[in-house]
């Protein structure tokens, strides 16, 4: 919790997602580097104006994803964007590099002066739509040590969305959480089954009961269920609901962000 509070200065944090336009080399890329950067900065400034607590960037439009590694064209572009967002907003900022490119995310965070990464496949393996994702805790935290980046928090998905966990069906969510904590996770992310799907509040409570590190809700948060999640979680990652029609590909809706943050402040007071 010490690292979490050093980054965010409080708990019950709202983290707004910035879904970057398709990056160089991916099927959806349209040779529009300036537009990619300008759109990301515009969204970051919109979030800050609306009173968001923190930001995270993600290469969500880079479908179809590849697993574990990305090219230098991706990590370089994300470093540029992350650095400028951090300098412009001065907000806590993190990164996820899809899919499960956790070493790349750590390298970007170090170079861009970001505060945290979101890591897939930290403990145990799972089957994702990109293929089998192996656990990475030992490799990732050694890499963090090697590049002198131990101040960067690693928030880890457990029983991750968009994935099959049949191989670990005899390992409970609570046991998975305890293993991630033992393997030095800085925070545990609980999600629903897919993007925009609500996390089970009973699962959030169960993990809070067995672990001492921060618990983060990573999908399905809306204005309507905010009062359910915020008192229980240390942070909420919100993306889809802040968009037009609550769909992740659409533009941010400033009024929705301001209404959400006003309600969050009311609940926290």
């Amino acid at each position: 919790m010490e690292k979490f509070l050093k980054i965010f200065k409080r708990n019950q944090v709202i983290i707004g997602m910035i879904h970057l336009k398709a990056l160089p080399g991916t099927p959806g890329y349209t040779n529009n580097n300036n537009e990619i950067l300008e759109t990301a900065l515009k969204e970051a400034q919109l979030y800050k104006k609306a009173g968001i607590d923190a930001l995270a960037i993600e290469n969500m439009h880079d479908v179809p994803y590849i697993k574990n590694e990305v090219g230098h064209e991706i990590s370089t572009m994300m470093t540029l964007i992350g650095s400028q967002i951090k300098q412009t907003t001065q907000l806590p900022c993190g990164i996820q590099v899809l899919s499960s490119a956790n070493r790349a995310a750590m390298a970007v965070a170090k170079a861009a002066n970001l505060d945290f990464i979101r890591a897939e496949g930290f403990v145990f393996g799972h089957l994702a739509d990109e293929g089998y994702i192996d656990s990475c805790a030992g490799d990732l935290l050694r890499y963090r040590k090697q590049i002198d980046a131990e101040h960067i928090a690693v928030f880890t998905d457990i029983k991750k969305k968009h994935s099959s966990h049949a191989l670990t069906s005899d390992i409970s969510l609570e046991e998975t959480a305890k293993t991630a904590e033992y393997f030095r996770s800085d925070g545990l992310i609980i999600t629903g089954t897919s993007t925009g799907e609500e996390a089970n509040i009973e699962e959030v409570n169960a993990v809070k009961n067995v672990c001492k590190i921060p618990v983060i809700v990573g999908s399905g948060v809306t204005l309507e269920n905010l009062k359910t999640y915020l008192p229980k979680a240390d942070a909420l990652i919100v993306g889809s609901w802040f968009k037009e029609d609550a769909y992740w590909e659409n533009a941010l809706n400033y009024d929705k962000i301001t209404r959400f943050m006003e309600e969050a402040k009311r609940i926290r007071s």
Side-chain angles (χ1 to χ4, degrees), residues 180-201:
E181 181 178 37
Y182 178 64
F183 274 22
R184 297 177 178 266
S185 168
D186 295 307
L188 305 168
I189 302 174
I190 311 295
T191 66
T193 56
S194 62
T195 298
E197 293 295 317
E198 292 187 16
N200 186 327
I201 189 61

Side-chain angles (χ1 to χ4, degrees), residues 155-204:
F155 300 143
T156 59
D157 281 275
I158 54 174
K159 300 284 187 179
K160 184 187 174 293
K161 62 185 178 180
H162 297 291
S163 303
S164 169
H165 301 281
L167 285 172
T168 56
S169 60
D170 58 340
I171 303 171
S172 68
L173 181 72
E174 293 94 321
E175 188 61 31
T176 304
K178 288 193 290 184
T179 303
E181 181 178 37
Y182 178 64
F183 274 22
R184 297 177 178 266
S185 168
D186 295 307
L188 305 168
I189 302 174
I190 311 295
T191 66
T193 56
S194 62
T195 298
E197 293 295 317
E198 292 187 16
N200 186 327
I201 189 61
E202 293 180 3
E203 292 183 347
V204 176

Side-chain angles (χ1 to χ4, degrees), residues 225-236:
N225 63 30
L226 179 59
K227 61 182 179 295
T228 299
Y229 291 125
L230 192 57
K232 301 293 184 179
D234 296 288
L236 308 177

Side-chain angles (χ1 to χ4, degrees), residues 13-14 54 62 77 83 101 131 142 188 201 254-255:
V13 174
I14 309 299
D62 285 359
M77 191 71 181
S83 178
R142 281 166 174 77
L188 305 168
I201 189 61
Y254 175 75
D255 290 337

